[in-house]
Amino acid sequence: QVQLVESGGGLVQTGGSLRLSCAASGRTRSSYAMAWFRQTPGKEREFIAAISWTGDSIAYANAVRGRFTISRKNAENTVYLQMNSLNLEDTAVYYCAAYGGAYYAGSPNYWGPGTQVTVSS
């Protein structure tokens, strides 16, 4: 089992920045890809970004490419999401997720409880 806890959410004005963190604990000796998703009320959970175990493979959703950056520090069992140029459409609950293997294929196996990001005008 892998436990995930997100932090860093909050309220920010349009054009601002936030950095989300996700700390992993539990079965952290295994190699696993990580990802960020987000969800707004009434909508399905949306993929945002993913990163492989070594960081050699990264993917972004079109909606955030060029504005968001995913990174990780395996020694600290932490993955980050740097979010710049935030707009109102970025308001959502952001979830950290871990896959069962080194690359992000299929659906994640583990999820964090989520952190709220609210962008105001």
Side-chain angles (χ1 to χ4, degrees), residues 83-103:
M83 306 186 295
N84 299 328
S85 302
L86 286 161
N87 56 54
L88 298 177
E89 290 70 33
D90 295 318
T91 295
V93 177
Y94 283 71
Y95 296 91
C96 175
Y99 291 81
Y103 287 90

Side-chain angles (χ1 to χ4, degrees), residues 6 18 26 34 38 43 49 60 68 70 74 93 95-96 100 105-106 108:
E6 305 93 340
L18 278 177
M34 299 287 292
R38 68 186 181 188
K43 293 188 177 181
Y60 294 101
F68 291 11
I70 188 171
N74 290 342
V93 177
Y95 296 91
C96 175

Side-chain angles (χ1 to χ4, degrees), residues 2-114:
V2 175
Q3 291 78 44
L4 305 172
V5 178
E6 305 93 340
S7 61
L11 177 64
V12 63
Q13 291 188 325
T14 54
S17 298
L18 278 177
R19 188 195 197 199
L20 304 183
S21 299
C22 174
S25 61
R27 194 172 58 89
T28 57
R29 292 183 178 272
S30 299
S31 303
Y32 49 91
M34 299 287 292
W36 289 94
F37 290 72
R38 68 186 181 188
Q39 189 171 24
T40 56
K43 293 188 177 181
E44 291 189 358
R45 196 165 294 187
E46 173 189 21
F47 168 79
I48 295 299
I51 185 168
S52 62
W53 170 251
T54 61
D56 64 334
S57 182
I58 291 176
Y60 294 101
N62 289 336
V64 305
R65 186 176 291 111
R67 299 188 298 122
F68 291 11
T69 301
I70 188 171
S71 61
R72 66 188 300 163
K73 290 184 178 180
N74 290 342
E76 299 176 3
N77 296 317
T78 303
V79 65
Y80 303 96
L81 186 68
Q82 178 66 43
M83 306 186 295
N84 299 328
S85 302
L86 286 161
N87 56 54
L88 298 177
E89 290 70 33
D90 295 318
T91 295
V93 177
Y94 283 71
Y95 296 91
C96 175
Y99 291 81
Y103 287 90
Y104 39 91
S107 298
N109 289 25
Y110 307 100
W111 295 90

